[in-house]
Amino acid sequence: MSFDPVAYLENPAWRASKLGLGRIAELVERLDHPERAYGIVHVSGTNGKGSVSAFAASVLQAAGLRVGMFTSPTIGAYENSITVDGARISPDDLLAATVAVRDQAEAMDDHPTEFELACAVAFVHFARVGCDIAVVEVGLGGRLDSTNVIESPEACVIARIALDHTGILGTTLAEIAGEKAGIVKQGVPVVSWPQEPDAMSVIEATALKFDAPLAVPDFAELSNGGMVVEGEAVCVDAGARGSASDVSRETNVRIFSYKQYRDLEIGLIGSYQPYNAALAIETIEALRKRGWAVSDEALRIGLAQAVWPGRFEIVAKHPTFVVDGGHNPQGARALADSLRQAFPGRKAVFVIGVLEDKEYPEMLEELLPLGSAFVAIEPPNPRALPAAKLARAIRWTGQDLLGCSACTAPYVAKDIPDAVAKARELAGDEGLVCAAGSLYSIAEIKRAL
């Protein structure tokens, strides 16, 4: 067939953001409710929901289950957003699922949006290949997000909540928490990050309203043993049982313990990842109570094998090149902490690109003190902040607030390949480069490398 499924799904005509469940509800009904053919772990939150999803899916796969995962935004090829057992959807399967969805969508009076179509394609694919369970990440918010057409998930997970998309979700943590907690269903276990008090009270009230058992990780029971980065052990918490020096692996790895699970290894080395892994562990424990058989060994193996691109990911050497998709002040703060832990005493050449609707001045305040030079880029997204405008913000924030001499002359890149080349030149063979500010830039940065 000459039909291009990706071109159809990404048609600009479908891109208008129209919150609401009417269209997706009609679409899945026309498709005979594929989302009811398997169990679902539904994941909302602001920061960390992708990593939590990756950890949970990997553990469930290690337990011998056939596991789908649907995430957004897409990093790289469109097919990366829909995976089964870690493998992205094949071109033939994407074509077949998209044609099935298209045939129903075109018959609707109110055509579904781009994200609604993507959700439906994922649901159809997971049913067709016989998934036992799927991990489905919310696109925006929760209450009115297309994924909330899911009526009876196995668990509802709420990752860390922060101020983001305030023009849509609300201007306070409590308001945003109300939207995120909109995925909670009657009697279904809720697993939540220990949120700020205003947000936590909303989640607790919602769980009580729906008679949903609530589990919250106790981070007092988490100990960061350390990590191995570029072959060198970095001690993080001397009180942990595990020691990074005990690990002989060529890959970068972090060691931590949580509750009765000792000396766990994860390949996601950001300082925040053990906390995301703890949230995933609590999710697995909630699923066990629902009858899903997941052994401790599967949990250990699954955490170690989890892969999630663009989250404090070292993608090249000489110079060391880190990419991180943190796109709000909370994410920038976590990135700064990770850089201090992984590369103590070293400064980075930053490649920074942000979306215009983000709180980028606050993000810059977190990152600029760690920089030796700065390269401004424009992410490939219609909402991108122009690179020249970002460069002005780097100069103003660096000089006026931080007294940063390295901020006086940020380089304005003409495109991402130009930015990568300039950053590597500035860092030198033994230096450090960090690309940050938006998930939308990561695929092009990797291609340029």
Side-chain angles (χ1 to χ4, degrees):
M1 295 177 65
S2 60
F3 176 69
D4 183 340
V6 175
Y8 174 77
L9 293 169
E10 294 185 336
N11 187 328
W14 322 141
R15 287 182 189 168
S17 179
K18 297 183 289 185
L19 290 176
L21 299 177
R23 289 174 303 277
I24 186 66
E26 179 183 346
L27 183 56
V28 295
E29 184 175 3
R30 286 172 170 272
L31 292 164
D32 198 22
H33 288 287
E35 80 284 1
R36 296 178 182 173
Y38 38 83
I40 292 179
V41 177
H42 200 187
V43 185
S44 73
T46 307
N47 291 326
K49 62 182 184 290
S51 297
V52 173
S53 297
F55 281 129
S58 184
V59 171
L60 292 168
Q61 182 184 345
L65 298 167
R66 190 155 176 77
V67 185
M69 187 164 73
F70 174 62
T71 59
S72 65
T74 302
I75 297 178
Y78 187 92
E79 293 86 346
N80 291 336
S81 65
I82 302 172
T83 63
V84 173
D85 291 344
R88 70 186 192 180
I89 187 172
S90 71
D92 287 345
D93 284 340
L94 179 61
L95 175 62
T98 304
V99 167
V101 170
R102 179 201 62 180
D103 290 347
Q104 299 304 322
E106 296 301 313
M108 293 170 58
D109 292 334
D110 188 4
H111 196 286
T113 66
E114 178 184 9
F115 189 67
E116 289 164 350
L117 293 170
C119 289
V121 168
F123 293 153
V124 167
H125 177 60
F126 297 153
R128 288 187 168 190
V129 300
C131 284
D132 300 301
I133 193 167
V135 180
V136 176
E137 181 185 344
V138 165
L140 176 63
R143 182 176 64 92
L144 297 176
D145 185 75
S146 306
T147 61
N148 209 27
V149 74
I150 299 164
E151 295 178 343
S152 185
E154 293 296 307
C156 300
V157 184
I158 305 174
R160 192 173 186 181
I161 293 173
L163 293 174
D164 203 9
H165 298 292
T166 52
I168 300 173
L169 302 180
T171 58
T172 68
L173 285 178
E175 289 174 337
I176 293 174
E179 294 297 319
K180 305 291 185 183
I183 68 169
V184 175
K185 303 297 189 298
Q186 186 69 36
V188 175
V190 179
V191 185
S192 173
W193 182 279
Q195 314 287 351
E196 295 294 329
D198 287 353
M200 198 70 238
S201 63
V202 171
I203 292 168
E204 289 170 345
T206 305
L208 183 63
K209 174 183 176 181
F210 288 96
D211 194 24
L214 173 63
V216 180
D218 182 359
F219 291 153
E221 295 193 54
L222 188 149
S223 55
N224 255 329
M227 58 183 163
V228 176
V229 178
E230 299 185 309
E232 296 183 4
V234 181
C235 181
V236 177
D237 181 356
R241 273 184 53 186
S243 168
S245 59
D246 296 335
V247 179
S248 57
R249 290 179 56 174
E250 292 183 3
T251 56
N252 303 311
V253 64
R254 182 177 282 271
I255 306 95
F256 75 103
S257 298
Y258 178 64
K259 295 169 59 172
Q260 74 269 29
Y261 305 104
R262 314 306 302 179
D263 304 332
L264 298 167
E265 293 184 19
I266 52 177
L268 308 183
I269 62 171
S271 63
Y272 46 89
Q273 292 296 4
Y275 301 91
N276 289 330
L279 189 60
I281 290 171
E282 293 289 350
T283 302
I284 295 302
E285 292 191 341
L287 291 173
R288 284 170 167 169
K289 293 176 183 177
R290 301 269 289 188
W292 295 88
V294 183
S295 68
D296 286 358
E297 184 63 15
L299 186 145
R300 183 176 295 275
I301 292 170
L303 291 177
Q305 292 181 343
V307 176
W308 193 233
R311 278 70 173 181
F312 204 77
E313 182 185 10
I314 298 175
V315 294
K317 298 289 185 70
H318 307 298
T320 300
F321 206 116
V322 178
V323 293
D324 188 272
H327 54 274
N328 53 36
Q330 190 181 81
R333 193 172 307 119
L335 170 57
D337 289 342
S338 298
L339 286 168
R340 291 187 183 99
Q341 285 187 16
F343 306 103
R346 295 176 65 181
K347 290 205 168 187
V349 175
F350 277 99
V351 177
I352 304 180
V354 298
L355 301 187
E356 195 157 22
D357 56 359
K358 300 297 181 181
E359 297 178 359
Y360 59 89
E362 290 86 350
M363 294 170 61
L364 294 176
E365 288 180 31
E366 298 289 343
L367 300 178
L368 296 190
L370 299 178
S372 60
F374 301 91
V375 178
I377 62 172
E378 185 173 316
N381 185 280
R383 294 183 287 127
L385 182 74
K389 188 173 181 179
L390 177 60
R392 289 196 295 272
I394 291 171
R395 284 195 297 269
W396 294 335
T397 304
Q399 292 174 316
D400 296 348
L401 296 180
L402 305 172
C404 171
S405 59
C407 298
T408 56
Y411 179 78
V412 179
K414 67 183 182 213
D415 53 29
I416 287 179
D418 178 45
V420 168
K422 185 64 176 180
R424 297 181 76 178
E425 173 192 330
L426 291 169
D429 197 49
E430 300 304 318
L432 174 64
V433 179
C434 180
S438 174
L439 285 167
Y440 292 101
S441 304
I442 289 173
E444 287 197 22
I445 287 169
K446 288 183 175 182
R447 280 195 292 270
L449 285 166

